[in-house]
Amino acid sequence: MEILSQLADAVIKGKANDVQSLTNSALAAGIAPATLINDGLIAGMQVIADRFKKNEIYVPEVLIAARAMTAGLNILKPLISDTDMKPVAKIVIGTVKGDLHDIGKKLVAMMLEGAGLTVIDLGIDVAPEKFVNAVVEHQPDLVGMSALLTTTMPAMSQTIQLLQESGLRDKVKVIIGGAPITDAYAKQIGADGYAPDAGSAVDVCKALVQTTA
Amino acid sequence: MGVISVALDSKFSKRYRALARQYRTSDFNAPLALADQQGSIVAGQHPCTPCSANLEYTAHLGKESLRWGDAFIAMCPHGVYLWSIPVTDNNELVGSILSGANPPNDQSQVTRFTATARRLLRLACKHNLTNAALLRCHAEEAAREADKAQAIHSLKGERYTSVREVYLREEPNLIAAIKTNEVAKAREILNIILTEVYALGEHDFELLKALVLELVVVMYRTAVEAGGDPVELLGLNYASIQEYATITDEETLTPWLVQHLERLMAGIRNNDERPVEVQLQLALRYMQEHLAEPISREDVAGAALMSSSHLAHLLRAKLNRSYTELLSEMRINAARQLLVRTCKSLAQIAAETGFSDQSYFTKVFKQHVHMTPGEYRRQHTE
């Protein structure tokens, strides 16, 4: 359908107004909201994620694309019931305690949302207890932690420990990322996955969810 | 030290005892001590037993309290709150009065410490242990300095310098990537800078717009320095500055910025000159990537497209190091990272950082870091 590729294209170019008007006219033409989300908005965001991963585009381009996608989602989400569209997975995400960096984690959250995951963003400076409470409350498939400082890295390990002590560790997959993090560190503290950048975070999360299923 | 202790004993001990009697009546039981100028306790009990051995630290607290003209409160390395009052003989610092307490369970209670410290200061003035007029002078001066610092700080805006810092830090890498035609790498580096820019300008579009312009301007300068044609680059800029003025949202700012970044990269790339910074960066990158191998100065010089003697000259001039010194420094730094961030064995780390065997690794490590790799790991992973 022509309009779906137009919609994807508007997301790629980051044109929020175009996304809104295209979404409304597609709805008027009788296209199902779930189709618009999957084959229009998410398809467009997927292109952005791939290009970003390959270093073909810049951070601001990702930001405006994500904003354009959200403009479409805001119209469509109220129109669909949970049964119409099952999210790929649910993730609770946050920057760990003591760390006030937001933008990297936000990029990851946007990419994941763009890939069809339900994202619960706990924000910055998130204490281990808060992660654990969020797991109890939202029952996600994944927990994502970000740290930009070497001094805050140990908070990741503390969170994993607390999940273990609360008997929740087996219920979620833990993925970590951020500038100082390495694959070796992830293994050392017992995380399930590590993503070096926002683009590959999507792949890692999807792979982790598939191994669970 | 003896002389001063005697001076403290004879002249101040009596006054100190009088003060101590009154201080004990305070609402919680904080230890009290009199220290001489060198930090030795001459009466009473140090509030933190491990710190009492650290004379320099105790003396430092006294000096700080005189400098600020106020009770000086600090948390010592052992987690005890300490407050210090200078003991003065006329205008000379001769010692300090020291008190302190363990951190309270309730953080709001910390304000009680401030009140107690001030009370101790008033007592010290009353018992003529400290020169109240001198302290007032210092306090006023400190307040003036603080105001000045505050004014400069808000004028400069801390956030603003941080973007420039990030850019300057990344600049050599950026030029090297562009010069060697690694476009994806160059974009990755620019994305690191842009992440910082957008984090700062997140909630204020006008600020974001200004920061983005600044990035383009500093990059323009890089392009000219790297040999780009100033007239051509400036021509491009002039036309687009007019366009810049009309931008009112991120949707139009983004293509403007992207177009500039790509054009400036082309401007830098299209020039054949290789500034020394670029050559140096190529050399350093080659070394970093081949640390595990036995790399000779000739190998590195070849990778950076210069002669071996020119490389030696460049390292001395820019980094003040010989090739061998730089190489072992880089290897030790890499080993430090691996020790802290991984569980790899020492033998494995030695191999991965280019040391022929573990005992040689330990020897060189000790020379640089003044402890063994094992000690370093324990100290940094506890």
Side-chain angles (χ1 to χ4, degrees), chain A:
Chain A
M1 264 180 284
E2 170 89 25
I3 198 153
L4 287 175
S5 63
Q6 281 176 350
L7 189 57
D9 202 46
V11 169
I12 294 167
K13 293 206 173 87
K15 303 263 182 211
N17 287 339
D18 291 1
V19 167
Q20 275 174 341
S21 56
L22 282 166
T23 305
N24 285 326
S25 34
L27 282 173
I31 303 175
T35 311
L36 289 174
I37 292 180
N38 283 327
D39 302 339
L41 302 178
I42 291 182
M45 201 59 201
Q46 191 58 51
V47 173
I48 286 287
D50 287 344
R51 286 189 189 165
F52 185 64
K53 199 162 62 184
K54 288 189 231 155
N55 287 313
E56 288 173 3
I57 55 168
Y58 296 99
V59 165
E61 295 176 278
V62 180
L63 294 176
I64 58 168
R67 212 163 293 159
M69 179 189 70
T70 312
L73 282 179
N74 287 344
I75 301 174
L76 295 170
K77 267 195 179 158
L79 305 177
I80 55 168
S81 64
D82 289 345
T83 45
D84 282 344
M85 223 185 100
K86 201 177 168 305
V88 180
K90 199 194 263 187
I91 181 166
V92 160
I93 192 169
T95 307
V96 295
K97 189 170 170 56
D99 207 316
L100 304 176
H101 289 87
D102 196 25
I103 191 129
K105 184 250 327 158
K106 221 176 194 173
L107 274 175
V108 173
M110 284 172 174
M111 293 286 189
L112 293 174
E113 207 158 31
L117 278 85
T118 304
V119 178
I120 296 139
D121 190 343
L122 301 179
I124 53 177
D125 193 18
V126 180
E129 299 76 26
K130 204 168 163 192
F131 273 111
V132 169
N133 289 344
V135 169
V136 173
E137 186 186 340
H138 301 286
Q139 305 194 330
D141 308 282
L142 299 146
V143 171
M145 288 185 275
S146 154
L148 263 291
L149 307 170
T150 45
T151 47
T152 54
M153 281 162 63
M156 292 181 157
S157 152
Q158 285 158 14
T159 306
I160 291 178
Q161 238 167 340
L162 195 63
L163 282 169
Q164 188 94 45
E165 286 163 19
S166 318
L168 296 165
R169 182 64 189 88
D170 301 337
K171 299 200 166 43
V172 290
K173 295 281 180 187
V174 176
I175 169 172
I176 65 171
I181 309 298
T182 58
D183 198 19
Y185 182 73
K187 288 204 179 81
Q188 188 190 328
I189 65 166
D192 299 298
Y194 149 78
D197 57 71
S200 43
V202 174
D203 298 338
V204 176
C205 283
K206 279 186 173 169
L208 284 175
V209 176
Q210 268 157 17
T211 54
T212 332

Side-chain angles (χ1 to χ4, degrees), chain A residues 14-17 52 54-61 63-64 67 102-104 106 150 180 182 184-185 188, chain B residues 183-185 187-188 190-191 194-196 198-199 202 250-251 254-255 257-258 261-262 265 340-343:
Chain A
K15 303 263 182 211
N17 287 339
F52 185 64
K54 288 189 231 155
N55 287 313
E56 288 173 3
I57 55 168
Y58 296 99
V59 165
E61 295 176 278
L63 294 176
I64 58 168
R67 212 163 293 159
D102 196 25
I103 191 129
K106 221 176 194 173
T150 45
T182 58
Y185 182 73
Q188 188 190 328
Chain B
V183 184
K185 177 83 193 158
R187 287 203 197 97
E188 190 186 334
L190 280 169
N191 272 333
L194 284 167
T195 303
E196 198 82 10
Y198 272 72
E202 202 178 358
E250 276 185 50
E251 263 183 42
T254 302
L257 171 65
V258 168
L261 296 178
E262 294 287 313
M265 282 212 283
V340 176
R341 290 200 190 167
T342 71
C343 309

